[in-house]
Amino acid sequence: MSAATSPLFLHVGLLTSACFVPKSSTDKQAAGSLQWKRKTRIHRRISASSTGDGSNYSSLERVDGLMLPKKSKKADTYLVTGTSHDSRFASNNMDDDRIFRSIFQVRSYETGSDMTVSINTVLNYLQESAVVWGREMGFTEGVGFARTQELSKQDLSWVVVKLQFEIDKYPTWGDVVQVESWMNKSGKKVLCLNSFFRDIKSDEILLRASRSFVLLNNKTRRRIKFPDEVQEGFERYQLDRSLNAHNENLKIPKLEEAAADYVYKGLTPKWSDIDFNNHVNNTKYANWILEGTPESLATSHKLVSLALEFRRECPPKTTITSFTTLKDSITESDEVHCQHLLQFEDGSEILRGATVWKPKGLLPINQKLDSIARTK
Amino acid sequence: MSAATSPLFLHVGLLTSACFVPKSSTDKQAAGSLQWKRKTRIHRRISASSTGDGSNYSSLERVDGLMLPKKSKKADTYLVTGTSHDSRFASNNMDDDRIFRSIFQVRSYETGSDMTVSINTVLNYLQESAVVWGREMGFTEGVGFARTQELSKQDLSWVVVKLQFEIDKYPTWGDVVQVESWMNKSGKKVLCLNSFFRDIKSDEILLRASRSFVLLNNKTRRRIKFPDEVQEGFERYQLDRSLNAHNENLKIPKLEEAAADYVYKGLTPKWSDIDFNNHVNNTKYANWILEGTPESLATSHKLVSLALEFRRECPPKTTITSFTTLKDSITESDEVHCQHLLQFEDGSEILRGATVWKPKGLLPINQKLDSIARTK
């Protein structure tokens, strides 16, 4: 099987959502111009709620199909108010319209063997919240992946080139998780999106994540400078709110093949791994890294930190090898740091990764799981 | 790698939800007795809504964390009213308390390369709705998989032995799907759960499914007769409402290895496929069947019907082969019927399957996808 050889990047899979914009709203917009319409949209929603059309699913429609808790029954918006008591906040103004929120209730099939969310699910929630963020920012008129008509015309796509997160506490089945996302900073070629996962009942922060996106010319496969219309909007929505987490400028060194402690060969994308962009979805990369780590580590420890640097996209019908090196011995009391590499059979690099694993005994015990354990 | 050799069945993964029952409610129940508490619960919810505690997520809490549209703002229950115009209904009384409803909004990561839900997602929704059904039926006090204290004490688990569905129309990203589930019939050893997937906006039925569950003694691995407490409750909640779909008594003949047109060897469960029962989740079986079908079929056709007969559970570290036979030639105008077999390397049978595939050109076109296609 042949491997891709050009240095491509990974499409983030920001699916187009042109279909969600009511026709009347589309008609009003000038073709090819980017619309920063968040304010307008909220306004439209509040007006709609007061008409009381009496349909059973009106409260869903008003938040564009996202099922979110409401600020109040009268103001039917998706902004959740409340005061955060978390000292790690640089800004705790929950009404800041630069913070976008999505709600996820953890479903049974999104959890692993210990009933906590799988790493795959964490990446899925991050993807969905980025998709929603793109939609709310107005990237809705073009065809493809959260593109404006202009981006679509120029055949430019958003791709994720870096992703990092730290897990403070794993959510479990039935938990309701609020993902808060904001644009941390943006340059001329890179856009950084930060996110918190918050337990909606306890207000606790469960996870802190950052992601970097670039715009890629689909023909030349090169990163391009953001068009002016994109940069202008970014200035308005940029928010200097610290994650108080990882070093966002982290460079992951390449793990040399010969230095790897563990090698897992013959990984192949399955049909179900191929997304709208006709390549392997980025969430699958993390699975391949996890497959490559030794079972003894996964039995005694749990992943608390993940950093991925995407270097090539992965088309169907390729064969991948997962390399892992452990920088620490596996003991009951110590964290284990790992370095990872995914590559094609011809040796070309797909992804660099770094993970940190914590002994299960040192993790905060979820009350529900603890109660089950005690009953046993 | 060793394969399981005893004729086990597949745990459905009805996760315990003891954690969801408020302590006060638990205290009132006699230990070891099964509580049919649906009526009580609904009553409790309506009362709670009138107290108006003012918290932002109170509307979520009142439906036990499930985010469902409301009947009205005053009666804060999860029963959705409305008249069905679908003539295939044997009963269209939407207020029937024997019908349990769960709402799913299709997330971007639950769709495949054509933006419609993946087969995996269909099976996930069916699993989650069965889990919720079990919880609502009162299987909450035991440890393990939707078990009462009595079932837990006797170490009996619910396992799915058969699953069938037909897809009329695929939901796509952002669609809100209501899964309606009811107990169709139950014998002394088998319980049948039927479900419709309904588009909540158009009221259209998208999918019809049936599943059969048995109670398995975890030590002897044999099916047992339902205890009296279980059967009594079932009488009350049984509903004779036709699916107007497949033959629920279908027996899938065994596909003999030598008769297979296609053989896909070396399939192995990954960490992420292992569920709470420490074996491969049933949704993975369908993926393995799909992997075994020829690419030419998946390119021109789309799956519209699936029947699975689970014959053995699949533990970690096993190697599986997927066999497929096509009963029709692949043309642009005709359905293709396939027969499937999954087995371990030692030849022991894991699963029998039958699928029907329809030419993509003959499928009802989703309006949203059609609009995207036209823009392109």
Side-chain angles (χ1 to χ4, degrees):
Chain A
M1 291 183 183
S2 70
T5 49
S6 58
L8 308 178
F9 299 95
L10 188 82
H11 282 114
V12 68
L14 287 173
L15 310 179
T16 180
S17 57
C19 39
F20 287 93
V21 183
K23 199 172 175 305
S24 58
S25 136
T26 315
D27 290 344
K28 280 176 203 157
Q29 289 155 16
S33 73
L34 177 61
Q35 303 289 327
W36 298 101
K37 48 187 169 179
R38 193 159 194 237
K39 276 288 183 197
T40 325
R41 290 194 137 200
I42 290 173
H43 180 70
R44 183 169 56 77
R45 279 181 202 129
I46 294 173
S47 313
S49 77
S50 61
T51 64
D53 63 358
S55 67
N56 293 315
Y57 46 84
S58 56
S59 61
L60 297 182
E61 275 195 321
R62 270 179 220 122
V63 287
D64 280 351
L66 273 177
M67 292 173 285
L68 304 181
K70 288 178 281 182
K71 191 176 178 180
S72 81
K73 290 200 174 175
K74 280 177 188 167
D76 199 4
T77 80
Y78 56 80
L79 291 175
V80 180
T81 55
T83 311
S84 165
H85 304 293
D86 195 307
S87 60
R88 290 173 301 182
F89 268 54
S91 153
N92 66 1
N93 179 1
M94 300 293 283
D95 273 326
D96 195 316
D97 75 351
R98 294 169 294 183
I99 304 172
F100 295 76
R101 297 177 177 83
S102 309
I103 299 284
F104 298 87
Q105 182 176 36
V106 179
R107 298 171 183 164
S108 61
Y109 57 84
E110 294 178 327
T111 63
S113 56
D114 63 355
M115 279 183 73
T116 64
V117 293
S118 62
I119 297 305
N120 204 278
T121 298
V122 168
L123 293 167
N124 283 339
Y125 286 7
L126 286 172
Q127 176 183 308
E128 181 75 0
S129 60
V131 166
V132 171
W133 183 85
R135 189 175 72 198
E136 291 296 319
M137 289 292 282
F139 298 111
T140 54
E141 308 303 317
V143 174
F145 334 104
R147 297 195 286 186
T148 61
Q149 288 192 2
E150 189 54 32
L151 296 183
S152 190
K153 212 168 73 183
Q154 291 187 35
D155 204 7
L156 307 176
S157 285
W158 293 103
V159 297
V160 65
V161 287
K162 206 164 155 185
L163 186 150
Q164 286 177 261
F165 66 72
E166 272 112 51
I167 301 181
D168 295 345
K169 194 171 172 184
Y170 276 80
T172 60
W173 179 48
D175 284 350
V176 182
V177 175
Q178 173 172 283
V179 180
E180 302 168 16
S181 302
W182 66 96
M183 193 198 307
N184 185 43
K185 58 181 178 187
S186 65
K188 289 179 176 172
K189 285 187 164 187
V190 181
L191 156 69
C192 299
L193 203 61
N194 282 358
S195 295
F196 283 140
F197 281 21
R198 189 188 294 277
D199 184 295
I200 210 166
K201 283 198 181 185
S202 69
D203 209 37
E204 233 178 328
I205 288 178
L206 306 171
L207 182 143
R208 292 154 287 139
S210 68
R211 288 151 285 168
S212 301
F213 301 89
V214 300
L215 263 181
L216 201 72
N217 183 310
N218 279 328
K219 286 188 194 70
T220 64
R221 315 307 298 178
R222 294 178 74 87
R223 302 177 184 200
I224 63 125
K225 200 182 136 210
F226 294 147
D228 286 344
E229 61 159 8
V230 171
Q231 280 200 57
E232 278 161 25
F234 283 174
E235 272 168 34
R236 159 72 180 87
Y237 282 96
Q238 197 161 312
L239 174 64
D240 183 22
R241 184 200 199 195
S242 170
L243 267 186
N244 268 314
H246 46 260
N247 169 15
E248 288 160 43
N249 297 317
L250 175 77
K251 293 267 176 223
I252 307 173
K254 186 179 177 184
L255 165 62
E256 293 305 327
E257 206 179 313
D261 297 326
Y262 299 89
V263 181
Y264 192 128
K265 289 188 177 184
L267 293 160
T268 52
K270 302 285 181 288
W271 279 11
S272 50
D273 303 326
I274 306 300
D275 69 11
F276 187 63
N277 295 320
N278 201 33
H279 62 196
V280 173
N281 189 272
N282 64 59
T283 59
K284 187 68 190 178
Y285 288 60
N287 282 357
W288 285 334
I289 277 185
L290 297 180
E291 291 308 320
T293 54
E295 198 182 330
S296 52
L297 177 62
T299 307
S300 60
H301 288 57
K302 212 157 159 66
L303 187 140
V304 290
S305 170
L306 177 82
L308 303 177
E309 231 184 273
F310 300 97
R311 302 179 80 83
R312 269 182 186 77
E313 66 180 347
C314 186
K317 295 187 188 174
T318 44
T319 306
I320 292 101
T321 307
S322 177
F323 299 92
T324 307
T325 286
L326 271 62
K327 300 194 168 293
D328 312 281
S329 334
I330 303 174
T331 71
E332 276 180 21
S333 55
D334 296 307
E335 281 190 348
V336 176
H337 291 72
C338 298
Q339 213 182 318
H340 307 270
L341 169 73
L342 293 182
Q343 67 179 33
F344 291 119
E345 280 178 320
D346 69 358
S348 52
E349 201 181 1
I350 307 169
L351 174 127
R352 295 180 187 184
T355 54
V356 183
W357 302 71
K358 211 169 188 167
K360 285 183 179 170
L362 301 185
L363 281 171
I365 303 280
N366 180 297
Q367 219 183 341
K368 286 194 296 192
L369 292 185
D370 188 40
S371 124
I372 292 169
R374 274 187 286 104
T375 323
K376 276 178 178 167
Chain B
M1 290 182 182
S2 70
T5 49
S6 57
L8 307 178
F9 300 94
L10 187 83
H11 282 113
V12 69
L14 287 173
L15 310 180
T16 180
S17 57
C19 38
F20 287 92
V21 182
K23 199 173 176 304
S24 57
S25 137
T26 314
D27 290 344
K28 280 177 201 156
Q29 289 155 16
S33 74
L34 178 60
Q35 303 291 325
W36 299 101
K37 47 187 168 179
R38 194 161 194 237
K39 276 288 184 198
T40 325
R41 290 193 137 201
I42 290 173
H43 180 70
R44 183 168 56 78
R45 280 181 202 129
I46 295 173
S47 314
S49 76
S50 61
T51 64
D53 63 358
S55 67
N56 292 315
Y57 46 84
S58 55
S59 62
L60 296 182
E61 277 195 321
R62 270 181 220 120
V63 289
D64 280 352
L66 273 177
M67 291 173 286
L68 305 181
K70 288 178 281 182
K71 190 176 179 180
S72 81
K73 290 199 173 176
K74 280 178 188 168
D76 199 4
T77 80
Y78 57 80
L79 291 175
V80 180
T81 56
T83 311
S84 165
H85 303 292
D86 195 308
S87 59
R88 290 173 301 182
F89 268 54
S91 153
N92 67 0
N93 179 1
M94 299 293 282
D95 273 326
D96 194 316
D97 75 351
R98 293 169 294 183
I99 304 172
F100 295 76
R101 297 177 177 84
S102 309
I103 299 283
F104 298 87
Q105 182 175 37
V106 179
R107 298 172 183 164
S108 61
Y109 56 84
E110 294 179 327
T111 63
S113 56
D114 63 355
M115 279 183 72
T116 64
V117 293
S118 63
I119 297 305
N120 205 278
T121 298
V122 168
L123 293 168
N124 283 339
Y125 286 7
L126 286 172
Q127 176 184 307
E128 181 75 0
S129 60
V131 166
V132 170
W133 182 85
R135 189 176 71 198
E136 291 296 319
M137 290 292 282
F139 298 111
T140 54
E141 308 303 318
V143 174
F145 334 104
R147 297 196 286 186
T148 60
Q149 288 193 2
E150 189 54 32
L151 296 183
S152 191
K153 212 169 73 184
Q154 291 188 35
D155 204 7
L156 307 176
S157 284
W158 293 102
V159 296
V160 64
V161 287
K162 206 163 155 187
L163 186 150
Q164 286 177 262
F165 65 72
E166 271 113 51
I167 302 181
D168 296 345
K169 195 172 173 184
Y170 277 80
T172 60
W173 179 47
D175 284 351
V176 182
V177 174
Q178 173 172 282
V179 180
E180 302 167 16
S181 302
W182 66 96
M183 192 198 308
N184 185 43
K185 58 182 178 187
S186 65
K188 289 179 176 171
K189 285 187 163 186
V190 182
L191 156 70
C192 299
L193 203 61
N194 282 358
S195 294
F196 282 140
F197 281 21
R198 188 188 295 277
D199 184 296
I200 210 166
K201 282 197 181 186
S202 68
D203 209 37
E204 234 178 328
I205 288 178
L206 306 171
L207 182 144
R208 291 154 287 140
S210 67
R211 288 151 285 168
S212 302
F213 301 89
V214 299
L215 263 181
L216 201 72
N217 183 310
N218 279 328
K219 287 189 193 69
T220 64
R221 314 307 298 178
R222 294 179 74 87
R223 302 178 183 199
I224 63 124
K225 199 182 139 212
F226 294 147
D228 286 345
E229 61 159 9
V230 171
Q231 281 201 57
E232 277 161 25
F234 284 173
E235 272 167 35
R236 159 73 180 86
Y237 283 96
Q238 197 161 312
L239 174 64
D240 183 21
R241 184 199 198 196
S242 170
L243 266 186
N244 268 314
H246 46 260
N247 169 14
E248 289 160 42
N249 297 317
L250 176 77
K251 293 267 175 222
I252 307 173
K254 186 180 177 184
L255 165 62
E256 293 304 327
E257 206 178 314
D261 297 325
Y262 299 89
V263 181
Y264 193 129
K265 289 188 177 183
L267 293 160
T268 52
K270 302 286 181 288
W271 279 11
S272 50
D273 304 326
I274 306 300
D275 69 10
F276 186 64
N277 295 320
N278 201 32
H279 62 195
V280 174
N281 189 272
N282 64 60
T283 59
K284 188 68 190 177
Y285 287 61
N287 282 358
W288 285 334
I289 277 186
L290 297 180
E291 291 308 320
T293 55
E295 198 181 330
S296 53
L297 177 62
T299 307
S300 60
H301 287 57
K302 212 158 159 65
L303 187 140
V304 290
S305 170
L306 177 82
L308 302 177
E309 231 184 272
F310 300 97
R311 303 179 78 83
R312 268 183 187 76
E313 66 180 347
C314 186
K317 295 186 187 174
T318 44
T319 306
I320 292 100
T321 307
S322 177
F323 298 92
T324 307
T325 285
L326 271 62
K327 300 195 168 292
D328 312 281
S329 334
I330 303 174
T331 71
E332 277 180 19
S333 55
D334 297 306
E335 281 189 347
V336 176
H337 291 73
C338 298
Q339 214 183 317
H340 307 270
L341 168 74
L342 293 182
Q343 66 179 32
F344 290 119
E345 280 179 320
D346 69 358
S348 52
E349 202 181 1
I350 306 169
L351 173 127
R352 295 180 186 185
T355 54
V356 183
W357 301 70
K358 212 170 187 166
K360 285 183 179 170
L362 301 184
L363 282 171
I365 303 279
N366 180 298
Q367 219 183 342
K368 286 194 297 192
L369 292 185
D370 188 39
S371 124
I372 291 169
R374 274 187 286 105
T375 323
K376 276 178 178 166

